[in-house]
């Protein structure tokens, strides 16, 4: 990755992927250098048109803040990313992940639903939302799902479900 950074110092995807790897390895100091110490790009306004790479970089920065215990900075960064890139589902998903990590499960689910509306084919958003439902919300829920069936057609599904975590109620005898 260091060779790639030397060859492509302004590429946000390389920085984001390398930063995420360093965070996974618990090398937060090194990740900070990769994610935040970026030389000034003389053509930044031209390259920012490709929002996907910059959203990815900002989402990894949000992850770095949360792993470093700076939750207020993590929320500020996630909300700024969402404000700057409102049409990127991953920006909603990053904010949802933060909210879920501090117990704001309903709000996290709302953000995952928003992410899925923008990117209906992204299974990661659906799985993350379902994981929150299964692990933390022992009551009924409803959701609305969009699926593309053709280039101009979409199907709409309404799904209702009920879940109840029996582990929380040890008084039930069998």
């Amino acid at each position: 990755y260091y060779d790639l950074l030397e060859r492509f110092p302004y590429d946000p995807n390389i920085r984001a992927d390398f930063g995420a790897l360093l965070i996974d390895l618990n090398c937060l100091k090194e990740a900070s250098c990769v994610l935040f110490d970026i030389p000034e790009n003389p053509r930044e306004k031209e390259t920012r048109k490709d929002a996907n790479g910059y959203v990815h970089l900002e989402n990894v920065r949000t992850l770095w803040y949360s792993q470093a215990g700076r939750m207020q900075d993590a929320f500020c960064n996630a909300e700024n990313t969402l404000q700057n890139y409102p049409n990127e589902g991953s920006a909603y998903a990053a904010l949802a992940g933060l909210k879920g990590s501090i117990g704001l499960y309903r709000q996290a689910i709302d953000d995952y639903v928003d992410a899925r509306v923008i990117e209906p084919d992204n299974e990661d958003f659906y799985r993350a939302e379902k994981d929150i439902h299964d692990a933390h919300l022992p009551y009924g829920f409803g959701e609305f799902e969009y699926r593309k069936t053709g280039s101009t057609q979409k199907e709409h599904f309404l799904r209702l479900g009920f879940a109840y975590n029996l582990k929380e109620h040890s008084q039930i005898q069998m």
Side-chain angles (χ1 to χ4, degrees):
Y1 273 107
Y2 285 114
D3 291 339
L4 284 172
L5 279 179
E6 193 171 306
R7 288 180 55 208
F8 306 102
Y10 310 119
D11 189 316
N13 285 308
I14 292 171
R15 288 191 174 276
D17 290 343
F18 189 27
L21 174 66
L22 290 169
I23 291 169
D24 285 345
L25 295 173
N26 205 26
C27 300
L28 295 180
K29 185 175 181 181
E30 293 86 352
S32 173
C33 293
V34 170
L35 295 171
F36 297 101
D37 297 341
I38 301 174
E40 189 173 327
N41 184 353
R43 298 179 3 173
E44 184 171 359
K45 290 184 180 177
E46 296 172 27
T47 57
R48 283 236 179 225
K49 292 177 184 173
D50 174 29
N52 195 16
Y54 286 96
V55 172
H56 183 41
L57 178 62
E58 292 302 327
N59 289 343
V60 176
R61 286 176 174 169
T62 298
L63 176 64
W64 182 88
Y65 283 127
S66 68
Q67 294 296 314
R70 296 171 54 182
M71 292 304 283
Q72 187 172 2
D73 291 329
F75 273 98
C76 278
N77 194 65
E79 288 168 354
N80 287 339
T81 303
L82 185 58
Q83 186 176 14
N84 291 331
Y85 303 100
N87 295 325
E88 292 289 327
S90 64
Y92 286 94
L95 186 58
L98 275 180
K99 289 178 180 177
S101 73
I102 63 166
L104 299 174
Y105 304 121
R106 282 279 175 207
Q107 292 177 18
I109 286 173
D110 290 343
D111 288 335
Y112 278 125
V113 168
D114 290 340
R116 286 183 29 226
V117 168
I118 294 170
E119 296 180 36
D121 297 330
N122 192 322
E123 290 294 318
D124 293 335
F125 300 159
Y126 176 77
R127 273 193 300 268
E129 178 188 348
K130 185 176 181 326
D131 289 345
I132 290 176
H133 275 295
D134 293 347
H136 302 290
L137 299 177
Y139 39 80
F141 65 91
E143 64 182 37
F144 195 71
E145 182 175 337
Y146 301 90
R147 288 189 188 166
K148 287 186 177 180
T149 57
S151 62
T152 60
Q153 297 175 330
K154 288 185 180 178
E155 290 181 350
H156 304 276
F157 296 92
L158 177 62
R159 180 180 297 130
L160 299 174
F162 182 79
Y164 201 81
N165 188 350
L166 293 178
K167 293 179 196 172
E168 292 179 6
H169 301 280
S170 59
Q171 296 177 6
I172 297 177
Q173 295 179 352
M174 302 200 142

